[in-house]
Amino acid sequence: MAQLIRTPKQLGVVIRNAHARSGLTQQALADLVGTGQKTVSRIENGHDGTRMDTLFAIIAALDMDLQLGPRSKGGKDISEIF
């Protein structure tokens, strides 16, 4: 199921949910992608500053794809824009 993601926090929630479904611990996921458990935790908690290669490795390890599309601007809520 595709999900709209516009913030690091939203991305972290999606990764956390996929990680929980995977049955892997944060440490096991970190080991798979060659990073530390603390890095996985920071991503799942929405902290910015993550290296793109680390993020892509985590997405791949969780058997997910990243897709980009045009932004919808029909909503009135500012949170939908940013």
Side-chain angles (χ1 to χ4, degrees):
M1 176 171 109
Q3 295 196 338
L4 180 64
I5 298 170
R6 292 189 173 152
T7 67
K9 188 153 189 84
Q10 290 170 333
L11 180 58
V13 168
V14 171
I15 289 175
R16 183 182 316 118
N17 291 339
H19 159 234
R21 286 190 305 271
S22 75
L24 296 170
T25 64
Q26 281 185 343
Q27 185 63 56
L29 178 57
D31 291 344
L32 275 175
V33 302
T35 193
Q37 176 273 328
K38 187 174 182 176
T39 298
V40 173
S41 177
R42 289 181 54 79
I43 292 168
E44 290 183 355
N45 286 300
H47 292 274
D48 55 4
T50 302
R51 290 176 38 164
M52 293 296 291
D53 60 335
T54 302
L55 187 56
F56 281 116
I58 287 174
I59 289 169
L62 293 172
D63 201 25
M64 299 174 70
D65 286 319
L66 178 65
Q67 297 181 5
L68 299 175
R71 183 175 283 218
S72 168
K73 295 182 181 169
K76 302 283 185 195
D77 185 6
I78 193 75
S79 68
E80 293 180 2
I81 297 172
F82 295 102

